[in-house]
């Protein structure tokens, strides 16, 4: 009798577990959206005003306007930001839209990971996404500024690309769709996204299952064609006046000097300093030069040393099995997933550095968003791999040492309890979101009654940048402002 009841409870728990995880992941984002909707929303200013103009101007065929004379590659971000105006007005509509976009990114990443690698990895990915939002700052995650799409969008791309490595059709489609959205939202994501998609295609080629490869590539190509149809037609119709031609012309012959790989690599190293943006640093999007040493690089270097030891000293870390979708048959699957995430994130980070070095102008604040997000993935996957490897070695065996989910055993409820704790922490941190107040530095031509969020006020300068010649500790108005008035 008791055994039969336990089996029924176990079955109910297994069926309801995905819904419970989805609810927990959505909860902090829902609380953030409710807080935003409770504000007395004011008129959007700066780049938000440009977004508002694009949304109100009817169907968009290209992306947001750039100060360099072109528009960002595609209209997907503007299309997404159109529906929140049905439930809110003013700035709140776009804040809610960005919050909903972040929630979709988190849920999609968890679903892809759960589907590809099972519930244990799904729990880890869920906690990572939920933690990244409050640690980076809810004010950044909910900001409807198109560069901020990469805060959760690029970690999502790394997850879906890792899942698509085994030629899964759904994950391949998701990888192309996420990359397309990121590129269309901001042209600065081109280098990162193309580097990740290239290494994914090369990884998928290493197989004898050509039928699976054709299905994955065919579905991915169809998705790309559909999502790029509108900006592609605009380019074909406009010829040399097309948007893509304008972007290429600026990249080749723009009047602004190129950034250079030295400054780009310095910006990339900043993402690994002891207190980076993904751990709550408030000056990452400002013009204050931070000369902290990249100590977090010790984590991926540690993984590299372990892998070299395994290769040349006869160790074993790769493991076999557990590769099918939804299969958790081998305890080493966590190590394999962590290594794959680490490799893809490193490729994306290198692509971001190269793209930044080939760009023009100083290293502006919004150019470093993708570097910070990818650094978070690199460090998290490295630490996870080292922890899993150490735990496996401490137990002295490489079998399936992880336990399953049983609701009557509190010890086996640890993943649920841990995720719930992370959700509570993230929900409490939504209190950092503040209602709109009067702008301390109103724009020319606007009255002082213009209202914008106090923690998201805009500076009058054209954009914050790293100033390597500024004396350490010096401050200017632009160094105190996390945002800049530049139609990037």
């Amino acid at each position: 009798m008791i055994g039969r009841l336990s089996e029924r409870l176990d079955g109910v728990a297994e069926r309801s577990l995905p819904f419970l995880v989805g609810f927990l992941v959505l909860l902090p984002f829902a609380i953030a959206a409710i807080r935003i909707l409770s504000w007395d929303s004011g008129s959007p200013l700066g780049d938000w005003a440009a977004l508002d103009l694009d949304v109100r101007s009817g169907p968009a065929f290209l992306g947001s306007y750039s100060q360099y004379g072109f528009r960002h590659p595609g209209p997907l971000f503007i299309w997404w930001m159109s529906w929140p105006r049905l439930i809110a007005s003013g700035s709140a509509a776009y804040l809610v839209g960005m919050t909903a976009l972040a929630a979709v990114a988190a849920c999609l990443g968890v679903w892809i990971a759960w589907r590809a690698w099972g519930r244990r990895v799904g729990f880890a990915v869920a906690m990572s996404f939920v933690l990244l939002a409050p640690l980076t700052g809810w004010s950044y995650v909910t900001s409807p500024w198109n560069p901020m799409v990469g805060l959760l969008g690029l970690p999502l791309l790394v997850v879906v690309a890792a899942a698509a490595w085994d030629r899964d059709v759904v994950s391949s489609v998701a990888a192309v769709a996420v990359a397309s959205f990121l590129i269309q939202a901001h042209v600065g994501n081109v280098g990162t996204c193309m580097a990740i998609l290239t290494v994914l295609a090369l990884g998928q080629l290493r197989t004898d299952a050509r039928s699976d490869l054709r299905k994955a590539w065919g579905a991915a190509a169809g998705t790309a064609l559909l999502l790029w149809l509108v900006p592609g037609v605009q380019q074909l119709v406009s010829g040399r006046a097309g948007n893509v031609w304008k972007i290429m012309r600026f990249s080749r012959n723009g009047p602004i000097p190129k950034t250079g790989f030295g400054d780009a690599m310095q910006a990339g190293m900043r993402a690994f300093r002891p207190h980076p943006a993904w751990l709550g640093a408030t000056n990452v999007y400002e013009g204050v030069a931070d000369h902290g040493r990249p100590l977090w690089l010790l984590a991926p270097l540690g993984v590299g040393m372990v892998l070299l030891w395994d290769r040349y000293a006869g160790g074993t870390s790769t493991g076999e099995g557990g590769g099918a979708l939804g299969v958790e048959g081998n305890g080493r699957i966590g190590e394999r997933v962590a290594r794959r995430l680490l490799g893809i994130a490193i490729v994306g980070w290198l692509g971001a550095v190269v793209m930044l070095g080939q760009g023009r102008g100083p290293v502006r604040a919004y150019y470093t968003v993708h570097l910070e997000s990818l650094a978070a993935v690199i460090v998290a996957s490295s630490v996870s791999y080292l922890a899993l490897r150490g735990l496996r070695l401490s137990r002295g065996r490489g079998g399936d040492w992880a336990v399953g989910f049983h609701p009557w055993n509190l010890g086996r409820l640890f993943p649920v309890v841990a995720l719930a704790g992370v959700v509570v922490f993230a929900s409490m941190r939504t209190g950092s979101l503040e209602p709109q107040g009067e702008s301390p530095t109103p724009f020319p031509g606007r009255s002082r009654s213009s209202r914008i969020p106090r923690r998201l006020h805009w500076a009058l300068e054209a954009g914050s940048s790293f100033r390597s010649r500024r004396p350490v500790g010096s401050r200017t108005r632009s160094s105190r402002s996390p945002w800049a008035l530049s139609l990037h």
Side-chain angles (χ1 to χ4, degrees):
M1 180 67 180
I2 296 178
R4 187 174 301 175
L5 179 61
S6 297
E7 291 178 359
R8 291 182 178 179
L9 291 175
D10 191 19
V12 172
E14 289 286 349
R15 290 190 297 270
S16 61
L17 184 60
F19 299 99
L20 175 61
V21 173
F23 169 78
L24 291 175
V25 172
L26 282 174
L27 185 58
F29 297 97
I31 293 175
I34 292 173
R35 285 184 180 274
I36 293 169
L37 290 173
S38 67
W39 297 345
D40 179 16
S41 178
S43 299
L45 302 176
D47 289 78
W48 299 9
L51 173 63
D52 183 59
L53 180 62
D54 288 331
V55 171
R56 292 175 179 270
S57 298
F61 299 100
L62 293 173
S64 304
Y65 177 75
S66 170
Q67 62 177 331
Y68 300 120
F70 56 83
R71 286 184 173 270
H72 290 282
L76 292 179
F77 179 68
I78 297 175
W79 290 355
W80 171 268
M81 284 297 182
S82 299
W83 70 265
R85 294 182 61 245
L86 300 175
I87 60 175
S89 61
S91 300
Y94 304 114
L95 287 164
V96 169
M98 196 67 175
T99 305
L101 183 62
V104 170
C107 290
L108 179 59
V110 174
W111 178 71
I112 290 290
W114 195 292
R115 180 178 180 272
W117 305 303
R119 61 174 178 262
R120 292 195 290 271
V121 178
F123 270 112
V125 171
M127 286 186 283
S128 299
F129 271 104
V130 175
L131 265 178
L132 186 58
L135 289 181
T136 302
W138 281 107
S139 296
Y140 298 120
V141 174
T142 61
S143 170
W145 198 19
N146 58 332
M148 298 300 138
V149 173
L151 283 176
L152 294 184
L154 285 170
L156 170 63
L157 180 59
V158 173
V159 171
V160 296
W165 196 270
D166 297 321
R167 298 162 302 284
D168 176 49
V169 173
V170 174
S171 300
S172 299
V173 169
V176 172
V178 172
S180 298
F181 193 98
L182 290 168
I183 293 174
Q184 292 194 20
H186 197 278
V187 69
N189 292 321
V190 170
T192 299
C193 293
M194 294 308 298
I196 291 177
L197 291 181
T198 300
V199 74
L200 171 60
L202 294 176
Q204 289 181 333
L205 275 174
R206 300 178 61 182
T207 179
D208 295 329
R210 294 299 175 181
S211 60
D212 294 341
L213 182 63
R214 286 193 295 269
K215 291 179 182 178
W217 281 20
T223 303
L225 178 63
L226 179 64
L227 295 179
W228 288 95
L229 182 61
V230 172
V233 169
Q234 190 274 342
Q235 174 61 40
L236 291 175
V237 172
S238 303
R240 287 184 174 271
N243 192 59
V244 175
W245 183 260
K246 291 180 180 179
I247 295 175
M248 295 177 63
R249 184 168 53 195
F250 172 78
S251 177
R252 293 176 180 176
N253 304 314
I256 305 174
K258 287 193 174 183
T259 304
F261 290 107
D263 290 344
M265 183 58 69
Q266 181 184 2
M269 290 294 103
R270 285 189 79 233
F272 294 98
R273 67 196 189 282
H275 192 201
W278 46 272
L279 287 182
T282 56
N283 68 341
V284 64
Y285 302 121
E286 303 173 24
V288 179
D290 188 334
H291 301 288
R293 299 181 184 277
L295 297 181
W296 281 112
L297 277 178
L298 293 176
L301 289 176
V303 175
M305 293 177 63
V306 170
L307 296 179
L308 287 175
W309 173 266
D310 290 338
R311 182 177 180 86
Y312 296 106
T316 58
S317 68
T318 57
E320 300 293 339
L325 291 177
V327 176
E328 296 183 85
N330 194 299
R332 298 180 185 176
I333 187 173
E335 299 175 33
R336 180 162 54 87
V337 172
R339 288 197 311 274
R340 187 177 296 177
L341 293 173
L342 174 60
I344 294 175
I346 290 176
V347 170
W349 181 86
L350 291 174
V353 171
V354 172
M355 181 72 179
L356 182 57
Q358 286 294 308
R360 293 186 178 274
V363 181
R364 298 189 183 275
Y366 48 85
Y367 292 166
T368 64
V369 173
H370 47 359
L371 293 171
E372 295 284 346
S373 296
L374 291 169
V377 179
I378 291 172
V379 174
S381 56
S382 300
V383 172
S384 299
Y385 175 80
L386 295 174
L388 290 171
R389 180 71 186 275
L391 183 59
R392 176 168 63 86
L393 293 179
S394 67
R395 291 176 179 260
R397 57 190 179 92
D400 189 9
W401 46 264
V403 295
F405 176 84
H406 294 284
W408 56 87
N409 189 324
L410 292 179
R412 293 170 180 177
L413 276 174
F414 174 75
V416 179
V417 175
L419 177 59
V422 170
V423 169
V424 170
F425 168 75
S427 301
M428 293 177 63
R429 291 292 294 269
T430 58
S432 62
L433 292 169
E434 295 182 356
Q436 292 182 326
E438 292 190 3
S439 169
T441 54
F443 292 102
R446 292 183 180 269
S447 65
R448 293 192 64 88
S449 61
S450 298
R451 298 163 68 83
I452 56 176
R454 285 195 293 268
R455 285 200 177 185
L456 296 178
H457 63 276
W458 303 90
L460 292 178
E461 289 80 358
S464 58
S465 61
F466 300 124
R467 296 174 173 88
S468 58
R469 296 183 180 180
R470 181 185 305 155
V472 177
S474 65
R475 298 177 64 92
T476 65
R477 179 177 296 276
S478 64
S479 71
R480 292 192 295 270
S481 174
W483 306 111
L485 176 59
S486 65
L487 299 180
H488 40 82

